[in-house]
């Protein structure tokens, strides 16, 4: 009798936790939708928490648990992603774009954009205006898969795929700036990344259809993504192979900020 009661109690607690996770997921998605509509306006932690009907402390903690980064950092990635889209799809000046996405100073905008995208805004615009991209010229850092050090595994896509798969190891769960180690493959299957310093990382994967147009990779309209982490690297390698299943992007996925495939 006591065992049955204990089992019923555990079941009830599990249901409460599942309901809380579902509620938190919906709440965070609602806040992210508001973020996307107000990129040009200041949006403080207190204001986001009020939208979520939570205290600022609890909202910050829940957002971090669901997304992997704080809400302010997620909002910053959305703003820079919007800036990149405006750079590539409009003739607006860099100064106009800076203010359009909520920055108040051109210097801070340019510095942050360069740090997290990987190239300055004007240079990015120039790169996509050059001759069609040849991926054969893009740097491939994959060492021989015969080495035992580094990070290895398989990329899985449960649908027919033809194109290019970029694989990078990042210190945060955001594909931004230059990855610590990276490679690319042209079909689902095995991959290998070079050894990296000991630490905690996130494996971020993005698969694109075949194209010589840089907009395909920078605007990411038809992309599949996957992430694994946190991964703990010790003595130059992970504890076993790391497999990734690719899927369509979700609202809660941070945008791919790094300037693929120019890094």
């Amino acid at each position: 009798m006591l065992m049955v009661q204990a089992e019923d109690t555990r079941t009830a607690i599990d249901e409460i936790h599942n309901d809380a996770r579902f509620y938190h997921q919906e709440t965070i998605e609602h806040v992210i939708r508001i973020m996307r509509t107000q990129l040009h306006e200041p949006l403080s932690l207190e204001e986001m928490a009020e939208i979520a009907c939570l205290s600022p402390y609890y909202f910050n903690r829940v957002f971090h648990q669901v997304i992997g980064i704080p809400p302010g950092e997620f909002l910053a990635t959305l703003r820079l992603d919007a800036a990149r889209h405006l750079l590539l799809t409009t003739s607006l000046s860099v100064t106009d774009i800076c203010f359009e996405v909520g920055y108040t100073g051109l210097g801070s905008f340019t510095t942050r954009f360069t740090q997290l995208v990987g190239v300055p805004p004007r240079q990015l615009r120039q790169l996509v205006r050059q001759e069609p991209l040849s991926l054969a010229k893009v740097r491939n850092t994959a060492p021989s898969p015969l080495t035992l050090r580094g990070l290895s595994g398989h990329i899985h896509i449960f649908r027919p795929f033809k194109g290019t798969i970029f694989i990078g190891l990042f210190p945060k769960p955001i594909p931004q700036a230059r990855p610590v180690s990276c490679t690319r493959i042209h079909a689902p299957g095995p991959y290998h990344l070079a050894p990296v310093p000991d630490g905690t990382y996130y494996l971020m994967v993005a698969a694109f259809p075949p194209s010589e147009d840089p907009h395909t990779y920078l605007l990411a309209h038809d992309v599949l993504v996957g992430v694994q982490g946190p991964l703990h690297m010790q003595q130059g390698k992970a504890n076993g192979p790391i497999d990734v299943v690719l899927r369509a992007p979700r609202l809660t996925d941070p945008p791919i900020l790094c300037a693929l495939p120019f890094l």
Side-chain angles (χ1 to χ4, degrees), residues 20-176:
R21 282 193 290 268
F22 179 76
Y23 169 75
H24 289 156
Q25 182 77 22
E26 283 198 326
T27 300
I28 297 306
E29 289 179 359
H30 174 62
V31 174
I32 290 174
R33 291 189 183 95
I34 299 298
M35 287 182 182
R36 291 182 178 274
T37 64
Q38 298 183 14
L39 291 178
H40 61 291
E41 300 177 4
L43 192 60
S44 67
L45 174 63
E46 289 73 19
E47 289 170 326
M48 288 186 273
E50 185 176 351
I51 293 169
C53 299
L54 298 172
S55 73
Y57 171 81
Y58 189 65
F59 169 73
N60 186 69
R61 186 159 69 93
V62 168
F63 193 101
H64 204 155
Q65 288 175 343
V66 172
I67 306 297
I69 57 175
E73 190 169 355
F74 189 89
L75 177 58
T77 67
L78 294 182
R79 285 178 168 150
L80 291 178
D81 185 53
R84 184 180 54 183
H85 277 67
L86 290 172
L87 275 168
L88 301 178
T89 60
T90 74
S91 59
L92 290 173
S93 69
V94 174
T95 301
D96 289 340
I97 291 172
C98 160
F99 296 119
E100 186 71 20
V101 299
Y103 278 80
T104 57
L106 180 60
S108 59
F109 166 73
T110 302
T111 298
R112 198 66 176 153
F113 188 99
T114 304
Q115 288 174 341
L116 300 188
V117 176
V119 293
R122 289 187 176 86
Q123 183 181 345
L124 182 65
R125 183 173 262 175
Q126 292 169 357
L127 284 171
V128 300
R129 290 174 176 172
Q130 294 173 358
E131 61 185 69
L133 177 71
S134 173
L135 284 180
K137 300 177 182 178
V138 175
R139 180 168 60 101
N140 186 341
T141 61
S144 166
L146 297 178
T147 178
L148 296 178
R149 292 170 60 81
L151 180 63
S152 299
H154 277 74
I155 305 299
H156 302 279
I157 302 177
F158 294 118
R159 76 180 199 192
F161 175 82
K162 181 180 180 181
T164 301
I165 303 173
F166 293 91
I167 305 164
L169 203 60
F170 295 86
K172 290 184 177 183
I174 317 174
Q176 64 184 20

Side-chain angles (χ1 to χ4, degrees), residues 149-150 169-171 179-181 194-201 231-238:
R149 292 170 60 81
L169 203 60
F170 295 86
V180 179
S181 182
V196 298
D198 289 355
T200 300
Y201 301 95
L231 307 176
H232 305 291
M233 301 291 291
Q234 292 183 336
Q235 298 181 349
K237 62 182 180 180

